[in-house]
Amino acid sequence: MTNLWAFLFVLGVLVFVHELGHFLLARWNGVRVLTFSLGFGPKLLKVVRGGTEYCISAIPLGGYVKMAGETPDDPRQGAPDEFLSKTKWQRFQILIAGPLMNLLLAVGLMTFVIWNGATEPAYEQRTPVVGRVLPGSPAEKAGIRAGDVILAFADKDVTTWQGLQMRVVPRANREVPIVISRDGQRQQLTVVPEAQTKYEIGDLGISPSVHPEVVQVQPGSAAEAAGLKPKDVIVSFNGTDTTGFTLQQMIGEISKRAGQPVTLGVVRDGARIEVSATPRDQGGVGRLGINLSPFETVTTQPGFVQAIGLSLKQNWEWTAMIGEMLAGLFTAETSPKQLMGPLGIAEVAGGAASIGWAALFGTMAMVSLNLGLLNLMPIPILDGGHITILAIEGLARRDFSMRVKERMLMAGFAVLMLLMVTVIYNDLSRVEWLSRLLRRS
């Protein structure tokens, strides 16, 4: 149920904002709006105000704003308040308002999330130096070793771990060139990222040099008695370097030493210190009384103006990633299985909601950005397609015939239906029992 309510909330807000953009600019330019609907199909609730019917419809997978004289097929009287009676510039404003509202919402949501404080992995903005290579991983097969510095991936330079991850994610099961620096020597290798999870996320099987970090120290615990503090980074355990230690490894080392003193090498405020602690015996299991993160984190608390700048930067990085993924669909670099539809969005939204409001709003920002950019694509039937037709007509200084426009719209409808079938198939194939049924058929 969490997935369902999170999905309805996210999609409801995004559709409302999108259609509100069209509605406001239509009214601003003097166009008569007949219907403002959230959802498609039969109308469940409706009310008429100022000549506009506001309604909630049965199928919650979108919405629409119906304007007077919107298409050549509509009954028209040539009245000045009809959509096609307006200039191309006015129609352009109305058409682009919906996608722009989604883009602005994405920036606004991320601004709010960042402004309220953001905790991120510290390694994401560091140079991608390989700290660990998993046995049997694509990286090991390609000859990548711990200590290598990754300079470029898929023919583009990368300077941070975050930048590298954004380039690896869409390229599962694809042979990709990778450039590394080893002992000061530049080398070019070839790697095939492995598909991970049901969304086929590309993965190299490498990780940065990270150490566990203390997130919380429980009052009255052995850790508090030993002097451990939140934000302490544990760099060694009984003399063993903890680089690449998983949480399971760290917890396991502590658990098997109930009542035995251990020595932790800790970095605090840039200085290394040694801390001696004795895990308390709780049913034969050692417990220090700490909560750990698998990596060091950085917490930022920017001002509002700075948060806007960081939000713009994040949305621009997302836009670049979305653009690469869409381009990759045409060049076969990106698997169509990475596309997700309503069920996929519901699962992601539900997972984010279970984490907290910040994760939910961050997810909503990403989906809003996707929705805005998708609607700006020059595909007839989408807002971007109508804008493209307007632009071509403006350059040609004549309008297309009704027959040509109908063919364009039918082609756009076919493309959109192909996309819908793909994402719905992907969603269904990720449901375990349906996946087995589809494979049998």
Side-chain angles (χ1 to χ4, degrees):
M1 286 301 291
T2 300
N3 287 3
L4 176 62
W5 289 117
F7 170 73
L8 292 176
F9 172 71
V10 169
L11 194 63
V13 171
L14 301 191
V15 169
F16 174 76
V17 167
H18 181 95
E19 300 305 333
L20 182 64
H22 291 313
F23 174 80
L24 292 177
L25 265 293
R27 297 291 290 266
W28 175 268
N29 284 285
V31 175
R32 179 162 39 96
V33 178
L34 304 177
T35 308
F36 185 121
S37 175
L38 292 180
F40 300 110
K43 297 171 183 176
L44 304 178
L45 298 172
K46 59 182 179 180
V47 62
V48 178
R49 292 285 186 276
T52 300
E53 182 183 59
Y54 301 89
C55 57
I56 297 176
S57 300
I59 305 173
L61 297 178
Y64 63 93
V65 165
K66 176 64 179 173
M67 294 171 280
E70 186 174 353
T71 69
D73 286 337
D74 291 339
R76 294 187 60 202
Q77 300 174 346
D81 62 356
E82 293 178 346
F83 179 76
L84 290 177
S85 297
K86 300 301 179 181
T87 65
K88 286 183 171 60
W89 169 241
Q90 289 173 313
R91 282 181 274 162
F92 167 78
Q93 293 176 54
I94 297 168
L95 290 169
I96 202 169
L100 283 182
M101 286 287 279
N102 283 125
L103 301 184
L104 289 173
L105 179 63
V107 173
L109 286 170
M110 281 309 298
T111 298
F112 183 70
V113 170
I114 294 170
W115 186 40
N116 279 272
T119 299
E120 300 176 339
Y123 72 82
E124 285 191 343
Q125 300 306 319
R126 293 175 182 167
T127 302
V129 179
V130 179
R132 185 185 181 198
V133 180
L134 295 178
S137 66
E140 185 184 59
K141 294 174 184 176
I144 297 171
R145 305 174 189 169
D148 289 347
V149 181
I150 299 177
L151 304 177
F153 188 85
D155 299 320
K156 284 196 177 180
D157 293 345
V158 290
T159 57
T160 65
W161 274 100
Q162 185 179 58
L164 173 64
Q165 290 168 335
M166 290 175 67
R167 296 198 60 72
V168 173
V169 163
R171 292 177 170 82
N173 299 323
R174 302 291 188 273
E175 193 173 271
V176 184
I178 183 171
V179 180
I180 65 169
S181 175
R182 180 182 297 161
D183 300 325
Q185 299 296 314
R186 187 182 178 96
Q187 298 183 34
Q188 179 160 328
L189 307 172
T190 300
V191 65
V192 181
E194 190 174 50
Q196 296 286 350
T197 78
K198 57 188 176 183
Y199 296 106
E200 295 201 356
I201 302 300
D203 181 65
L204 295 178
I206 59 176
S207 60
S209 296
V210 295
H211 302 87
E213 180 182 84
V214 178
V215 176
Q216 183 181 28
V217 178
Q218 297 171 10
S221 65
E224 185 182 56
L228 282 173
K229 298 180 179 180
K231 302 298 291 183
D232 282 351
V233 178
I234 302 174
V235 295
S236 69
F237 184 90
N238 280 349
T240 301
D241 190 340
T242 59
T243 299
F245 263 42
T246 65
L247 286 184
Q248 290 75 15
Q249 285 176 288
M250 195 69 199
I251 293 170
E253 291 296 326
I254 296 171
S255 297
K256 62 187 179 183
R257 289 176 171 81
Q260 304 174 31
V262 297
T263 301
L264 304 176
V266 170
V267 172
R268 180 184 299 163
D269 299 327
R272 176 167 177 152
I273 60 175
E274 299 290 324
V275 175
S276 180
T278 303
R280 291 176 181 167
D281 190 335
Q282 296 183 3
V285 177
R287 292 284 185 265
L288 281 177
I290 54 176
N291 294 334
L292 293 171
S293 164
F295 40 71
E296 304 99 305
T297 60
V298 176
T299 301
T300 57
Q301 190 73 46
F304 186 69
V305 174
Q306 186 183 5
I308 295 174
L310 292 172
S311 174
L312 289 170
K313 179 184 176 184
Q314 179 65 78
N315 276 277
W316 175 250
E317 290 174 351
W318 282 343
T319 299
M321 182 178 70
I322 293 167
E324 279 200 24
M325 291 187 71
L326 290 174
L329 291 173
F330 293 99
T331 60
E333 286 188 351
T334 302
S335 170
K337 291 185 179 180
Q338 292 191 356
L339 299 175
M340 66 173 67
L343 292 178
I345 295 172
E347 184 176 7
V348 172
S354 66
I355 295 172
W357 67 266
L360 179 61
F361 282 10
T363 299
M364 191 186 299
M366 181 61 160
V367 177
S368 185
L369 181 68
N370 273 272
L371 181 60
L373 294 175
L374 175 65
N375 271 279
L376 285 175
M377 291 181 67
I379 299 174
I381 211 171
L382 296 178
D383 294 325
H386 290 296
I387 291 170
T388 301
I389 293 172
L390 272 181
I392 295 173
E393 288 179 337
L395 291 172
R397 297 188 177 181
R398 66 181 183 85
D399 290 351
F400 292 129
S401 68
M402 181 63 185
R403 186 176 181 184
V404 170
K405 286 185 178 180
E406 283 179 347
R407 288 179 176 178
M408 287 181 172
L409 291 175
M410 286 303 297
F413 180 76
V415 171
L416 200 59
M417 286 301 99
L418 177 62
L419 179 62
M420 288 295 294
V421 169
T422 301
V423 299
I424 291 173
Y425 177 83
N426 286 347
D427 278 353
L428 296 178
S429 66
R430 291 171 189 138
V431 179
E432 188 174 349
W433 66 272
L434 279 175
S435 177
R436 290 197 298 267
L437 184 63
L438 289 171
R439 283 197 296 269
R440 288 173 187 168
S441 62

